[in-house]
Amino acid sequence: ELGQTLERMAQTLRDQLPSSGSGGGGWIPPGTLPDPRPPDEADVVVVGGGVVGWSVAYWLKVLEGRRRHGMKVLVVERDPMYSRASTVLSAGGIRQQFSLRENIQMSRFSASFLRNINVRGVIWAEGSLGNPAPLTVVPVSLQEHLGVPSEPPIDIQFQPSGYLFLASPQNAAALEATVQFQRDEGAQVTLLSPTQLKTKFPWINTEDVAVASYGLEDEGWFDPWTLLNAFRRKATSLGVQSCSGEVRAFVTSANHVMTPAPGSARIKYVHVYMPDSLEYQPVACAIVVNAAGAWAGKLLEADGLPRALCRPPLPIQPRKRYVFTWHCPNGPGLSCPFLIDTSGAYFRRDGFAGNYLGGMSPSEEEEPDPSDLSVDHDYFQEQIWPRLARRVPAFESLRVRGSWAGYYDYNTFDQNGVLGPHPRLENLFLAAGFSGHGLQHAPAAGRAVAELVVKGRYETLDLRRLGWDRLVDGEPLKEGGVV
């Protein structure tokens, strides 16, 4: 609906402005994505123009340096107005409180990156790969920031209010152990007893809460669209091309020989189908990055990919999640963090005028139909509101103001991202399956994949455990902090 509204506004402006040139209709509204035909060839094709895809594209151009003939990077996005994009429909949170080392490290990298988003010449780094020493900020290339010359500074509207996880008596020991692990990884997290919790946040009902963990640094929320647009604008200024279309088919080396090698193949072309058309453009390429988010699994079922080489299938599915907004003048106010209740419901402040947003992931048995983004308003009334009102008595008198639905790129195997090379499609790299934390991990995940493409190895963070091998071996990496 937002995308359609913006398009109508753009058309109204075009109709009212003078035409440019004899052909007319030459004016393009600021911020509107161009829609050229895809090029005949590209060195790297990034499938998916969400925040992860644009992060990959940005880091590819940064890491290649000042080469005279730089690599040609193409980003393909099927929804250029982002009306159904997971990035802009998320709650916008960032936290350090995870139970998996790689997720904590990616969050810390991303938080430092966002703090220095307008700064030239500094970025997060360790002394060396795998070094457990504290993270530091060191000088680097002047390109490593998202500011674009002659454009205003980027304001992602970061609200450093922290995350607050509540634990019941049954889960108290697990939370305490997780917090100790997070501290060992350098995260600033404190534990609060029920008495301390009530003192700091007097609006909370502490009944059935045994302990709480509260992030003291680099946690809160920000504007997802601003970050996506910043990556897109900076990558474009560095020479990244983009087009509107959908990749539905591939041509691989296995299609060009009578007896293809049984163990592997290379992608030679991607077929980009034009919007609302049966026409497609074949794009010759050397590397393909699957950053298709909730549709990353479906992409590996496209025509032209040898089925025998795509086993096991990529266990990433679109899962629909609701976000509701409400008004409560007597609510928690400015002291409100991003709260995760013992029941699984969550909420945070939304601005400064008594507005809040929140939701709750359903159980496996209650997963809604992901075929569209319609909202089940009864879900809030019957499932979420009673939990909110129990935890925050002031929410008994809240008034719902709006709602929307977005997609998780849900990894059904272990709810963690899948990063790195495909084991049998030699020039295919993956960056998807983050199950709700892709926005906050996008800066780190994009750099990691770009390092593999440009340098052939991880240099900043060791994310090898998030690779495809765990899917083949049947060894999940469980994350206890999935919201």
Side-chain angles (χ1 to χ4, degrees), residues 30 134 196 278 280 352 395 413 441:
Q196 293 170 321
L278 296 178
Y280 70 87
F352 303 99
F395 282 163
F413 183 68
H441 288 164

Side-chain angles (χ1 to χ4, degrees), residues 82-133:
Y82 296 102
S83 60
R84 295 164 59 90
S86 301
T87 299
V88 298
L89 296 173
S90 73
I94 181 170
R95 56 186 164 103
Q96 316 296 300
Q97 296 184 66
F98 287 93
S99 64
L100 195 68
R101 176 177 290 106
E102 288 82 356
N103 287 335
I104 298 172
Q105 291 176 346
M106 284 195 289
S107 288
R108 298 198 63 210
F109 178 98
S110 296
S112 182
F113 181 88
L114 296 178
R115 280 201 308 271
N116 298 299
I117 200 168
N118 291 300
V119 179
R120 288 179 176 267
V122 295
I123 194 61
W124 178 96
E126 278 184 313
S128 61
L129 180 62
N131 185 351

